Amino acid sequence: MTTQLDCSLGFGLESAYGVPATPQQFPEFISESLAWNPEFVQGEGLRVGSRTPRTARRALGKEMSGGDIEIEATTKGLGVFLHAIFGDTTSAQVDAGPATQQVHTLTKTALPSYTIQKGVPLIGGGAIQPHTFHGAVVESSEFSAAQGEIVKLTTTWNAREIVTDTAYVPTVYPADMELFTFVHGSINIGGTVTPPTSTALAVGGTPAANITEFSLSVGNGIDEGGFTFGSAGKRGRRPEVGLVEATGSMVAEYDSNMLRDAFLNQEALQIVLTFEAGAEISTGVRSTLQIFLSSVKLDGQLPASNGGEPITQSVDFTSLDGLLAGVEPIYAVYRSTDTSF
């Protein structure tokens, strides 16, 4: 017997675009909108005695699938999403213990593709029905963290096709999984930062004690082509990556002029956002999620009165490539006991 709570998602990394893979990772999720998104064409030929478009003249012109997945950032199983977003990933043991560090940076070649299977139970306790998406690639993503909240990640996927004849793969969830929350967070803005290495976190910068909210959106700029003769209306090749658009925002209490002056002077800032959670997984090492932006310019705003309430600034920013030798524009670092992503 099932209930409507028994929805699931499973992910398998494909060996090549659109080649089905068996799901191996099963994240808990808040919501999903994965769907079939076809484009139909309707014949317009005139016919004596008919004033309406005809059933026989409606046909499938183009086939796409995809949608959004929203999850909470956890101390296990997050690597599959980070690898899907960024594309370039290294993984190394931090020390002799079980702690493994993944470093994710923006790919300069192609994004990985996944098979995603979502299971949806029938009303009345019926069996879980599999809906399997092949060739799923991340179009865009958004990290968000706010005071008193759990860190969340939303990914938008573009998939080649959906099939319903693949057998359902039962879920296997990681044990002892914890959440990253606002309580575990710290942020450094400005100053000098040493980028992360394969086993070390980014360090340095100036601690900022006035930030209450932070979000970062990363768009991969994938193209809309690849629908060619012989591909049966589906995308015939892996989406090509384009110019990355990385933007975000911060809400800061107005207790200094640092952000104001950086905006007015268009100063390039470095930002390090770090979350550490749980007990040590090896000596001196905790589960960690870290985002490092190596060159950020602020898009606004100046402080304004707030009706007698404490004054805050909603500061938008754009993450850019500072062309610093050996330094990537964006890093996502993930420490956990996961040995794969």
Side-chain angles (χ1 to χ4, degrees):
M1 293 289 289
T2 62
T3 74
Q4 298 310 299
L5 299 173
D6 293 322
C7 296
S8 65
L9 289 175
F11 289 75
L13 181 62
E14 296 177 345
S15 59
Y17 178 65
V19 176
T22 301
Q24 304 289 332
Q25 305 262 7
F26 301 91
E28 298 177 8
F29 65 99
I30 299 171
S31 65
E32 59 84 18
S33 61
L34 297 174
W36 187 46
N37 302 311
E39 293 183 7
F40 294 101
V41 292
Q42 182 70 49
E44 299 179 356
L46 300 177
R47 182 186 178 103
V48 173
S50 177
R51 293 181 55 211
T52 59
R54 292 175 296 285
T55 303
R57 294 297 181 264
R58 177 180 164 96
L60 178 65
K62 189 176 180 181
E63 181 177 351
M64 297 174 290
S65 299
D68 294 343
I69 298 173
E70 183 183 14
I71 65 168
E72 295 165 328
T74 55
T75 57
K76 292 184 179 180
L78 190 62
V80 61
F81 287 93
L82 297 176
H83 181 57
I85 293 166
F86 289 91
D88 275 356
T89 303
T90 63
S91 181
Q93 265 193 295
V94 176
D95 52 25
T100 298
Q101 176 162 305
Q102 300 171 13
V103 180
H104 303 267
T105 56
L106 297 168
T107 181
K108 296 176 179 61
T109 55
L111 290 167
S113 65
Y114 288 81
T115 293
I116 303 177
Q117 185 179 81
K118 75 169 179 176
V120 183
L122 295 171
I123 291 176
I128 296 175
Q129 304 300 303
H131 304 78
T132 307
F133 298 80
H134 300 149
V137 172
V138 169
E139 282 187 13
S140 61
S141 61
E142 181 181 40
F143 297 88
S144 63
Q147 57 181 335
E149 296 290 338
I150 298 166
V151 180
K152 295 183 175 65
L153 171 62
T154 299
T155 46
T156 299
W157 297 79
N158 182 299
R160 182 177 189 268
E161 65 178 348
I162 175 177
V163 299
T164 58
D165 58 354
T166 301
Y168 178 66
V169 180
T171 57
V172 180
Y173 295 107
D176 303 320
M177 189 165 47
E178 298 180 48
L179 295 168
F180 291 109
T181 74
F182 180 80
V183 171
H184 306 125
S186 63
I187 187 167
N188 291 3
I189 303 176
T192 301
V193 178
T194 300
T197 66
S198 60
T199 57
L201 298 171
V203 294
T206 304
N210 62 343
I211 305 299
T212 62
E213 295 181 28
F214 180 93
S215 68
L216 172 68
S217 297
V218 179
N220 278 316
I222 65 173
D223 79 304
E224 298 181 356
F227 295 89
T228 54
F229 286 105
S231 60
K234 305 178 182 71
R235 192 192 293 265
R237 58 160 173 78
R238 183 187 304 269
E240 294 291 326
V241 295
L243 193 65
V244 169
E245 182 177 357
T247 59
S249 66
M250 298 178 285
V251 175
E253 294 186 334
Y254 182 49
D255 62 358
S256 77
N257 288 321
M258 188 272 288
L259 293 175
R260 182 203 69 183
D261 292 347
F263 169 51
L264 292 174
N265 298 323
Q266 282 300 284
E267 175 187 354
L269 299 174
Q270 296 185 312
I271 297 179
V272 183
L273 181 66
T274 306
F275 297 91
E276 289 188 334
E280 291 185 348
I281 52 180
S282 59
T283 304
V285 180
R286 296 179 183 273
S287 297
T288 304
L289 172 63
Q290 184 182 73
I291 297 172
F292 172 42
L293 309 177
S294 62
S295 185
V296 164
K297 292 219 171 177
L298 305 184
D299 300 320
Q301 62 179 197
L302 293 178
S305 60
N306 194 22
E309 297 295 323
I311 295 171
T312 60
Q313 299 170 266
S314 181
V315 182
D316 294 337
F317 64 81
T318 301
S319 178
L320 302 167
D321 188 348
L323 298 180
L324 304 172
V327 180
E328 296 291 331
I330 306 174
Y331 296 82
V333 183
Y334 184 51
R335 282 183 172 179
S336 70
T337 56
D338 291 347
T339 56
S340 61
F341 49 83

